[in-house]
Amino acid sequence: MFQNIGFTEILLVAVVCLLLFGPNKLPELGRAFGRTLSEFKKGARDMMSEHDQADKKAAEVKSAAAAPEEVPAPASLTQAAPAPAASSERAVSDNPRRLPD
């Protein structure tokens, strides 16, 4: 929007403001504009932080609801399986694609 404004245009606007408001009123207008701009920035920052906090809270609720509670495993699954009986014969597989050991 203001990409093509040059030095002469800015100087022209400053001269018009000086003629309209006078040299005594311009500093007051500048301060008021600065305060307005800073309040706007502060409000925008507050809105963004509130939005970020709401997003974080929603993500926490979503992850807490999606994560199942940890249930301890039954003792039969945590115990070691019994060792196979030692035999001198090798087990023969019925699978023809399996390579011999």
Side-chain angles (χ1 to χ4, degrees):
M1 182 172 161
F2 296 108
Q3 295 174 352
N4 296 330
I5 293 180
F7 178 73
T8 55
E9 288 87 5
I10 293 174
L11 187 63
L12 181 65
V13 170
V15 168
V16 169
C17 288
L18 184 63
L19 290 174
L20 287 176
F21 300 111
N24 295 333
K25 194 73 169 172
L26 277 182
E28 294 174 23
L29 291 173
R31 274 191 291 272
F33 180 73
R35 287 185 195 126
T36 303
L37 190 60
S38 66
E39 286 294 320
F40 177 77
K41 286 182 180 180
K42 181 183 174 190
R45 228 179 283 126
D46 290 343
M47 284 179 53
M48 293 299 290
S49 67
E50 288 175 5
H51 181 70
D52 290 343
Q53 288 174 353
D55 283 348
K56 286 179 185 177
K57 194 177 284 188
E60 289 174 1
V61 168
K62 186 177 180 181
S63 65
E69 293 182 19
E70 290 189 29
V71 178
S76 62
L77 294 178
T78 57
Q79 294 175 349
S87 66
S88 60
E89 295 182 27
R90 288 182 138 180
V92 178
S93 173
D94 293 336
N95 187 351
R97 294 183 185 175
R98 185 167 189 266
L99 297 174
D101 291 332

